[in-house]
Amino acid sequence: MLMLLPPSEGKAHEGDGPPVGELSFPALDRTRKRVITALVRASKRRDALDVLGLTPGLAGELAKNAALKTAPTLPAAALYTGVLYDNLGLDTLDSDARRRAEDSVLIFSGLWGVVKITDRIPPYRLSMGVNLPPLGGLAAFWRPQITKELDRVSGLVVDLRSATYTGAWQPGSRSVTVRVFRDGKVVSHMAKATRGEIARALLHQDTTPSSPDELAKTLDALGYTVDLTAPPRPNRPWTLDVHLTGPA
C-alpha cells in the first residue's frame, strides 16, 4: 500500500543537518535540480512574491528559497507541521507503525517531486500550483517523471492529497481518493485533520488493505462512516467519502 500526502504550508523554521544529499527516487534528481535552480532565480526577482503566489507577510521565505543549495536539512517527517501532520503524529508512532510509514508514505512537493518521510530536505516555500519560470506549471512539469517512477510501484494507493497535488500523478483505478464531508459539504480544515487521523490509524493496523473494499471495511471497523464509489470510467480512481458527525 502507498499513502499519498500533500506537503504543508506550515514548516519547521530551520534544519540542523548537512545540505541536501541523496533522496528517495534518485531518478527524479535531474528534475529536482532544474526546479531548485528555477526557484532560486525566481526568489531573487523583484516580482518574486507575485511569481510564487506569496503575500507580503511571507517575504522572509524568499531568503530560504535563495539559500536552498547550502541550507541545513531535517527529515521530511519533522519538516512539515501543518494540521494533517499534527494529526498524523509521525514522531509518536510506535516502532511498527513508523516502519510502515517509512515504507508506504509518499509526500508530494512542488520542489522535490516526491519524498519519503526519512528524506532530509531544508525548509522552502513552493506550491505545486505555481507557474514557475521557465518551467511552467509544476504539476504538469513533474507529471511525466513522477508517473514513470511511481507506475512501477505496485499495490493499493490511498490518496490523501489536496487537489493541487493530484495533477502530478494519477495512479488510476488502483487508487482511492479520500474526501471528507460534514453535513453534506466538503470541509477544508477538518478534512486535513481527518486525513491525518486516517493515515495514522491505517499505519497502526497489523494488516494492510489490498483493495478499495478492504480499505472501506477497515475504516468502517475503526468507527468511520464511509461510502465507497467505483470509478466512473476506466483508469480513474475509486472515491471514499468520509462523513463526519457531531459538532465542528
Side-chain angles (χ1 to χ4, degrees), residues 62-171:
L62 299 178
K64 293 179 181 178
N65 286 347
L68 275 171
K69 295 179 181 180
T70 57
T73 61
L74 68 168
L79 174 64
Y80 298 109
T81 61
V83 173
L84 187 155
Y85 289 89
D86 287 344
N87 285 270
L88 171 52
L90 288 167
D91 58 340
T92 61
L93 294 173
D94 63 36
S95 58
D96 288 340
R98 175 73 182 204
R99 175 182 51 77
R100 295 186 190 102
E102 291 175 359
D103 290 340
S104 65
V105 171
L106 302 182
I107 302 172
F108 278 65
S109 164
L111 179 56
W112 311 107
V114 184
V115 295
K116 292 191 173 185
I117 67 170
T118 52
D119 286 323
R120 297 189 67 94
I121 52 179
Y124 66 95
R125 179 69 67 152
L126 181 65
S127 169
M128 188 72 84
V130 167
N131 192 318
L132 184 65
L135 307 180
L138 287 173
F141 179 74
W142 274 112
R143 190 181 305 126
Q145 291 81 11
I146 292 177
T147 298
K148 183 178 179 180
E149 192 71 5
L150 295 187
D151 274 359
R152 292 183 278 187
V153 184
S154 61
L156 177 70
V157 177
V158 182
D159 195 345
L160 301 165
R161 296 174 294 174
S162 51
T164 303
Y165 292 85
T166 58
W169 183 46
Q170 292 290 341

Side-chain angles (χ1 to χ4, degrees), residues 14-26:
E14 58 185 359
D16 57 4
V20 174
E22 184 176 341
L23 300 177
S24 301
F25 307 108

Side-chain angles (χ1 to χ4, degrees), residues 170-176 235-238:
Q170 292 290 341
S173 58
R174 65 183 175 118
S175 173
V176 182
N235 205 37
R236 298 294 296 169
W238 293 67

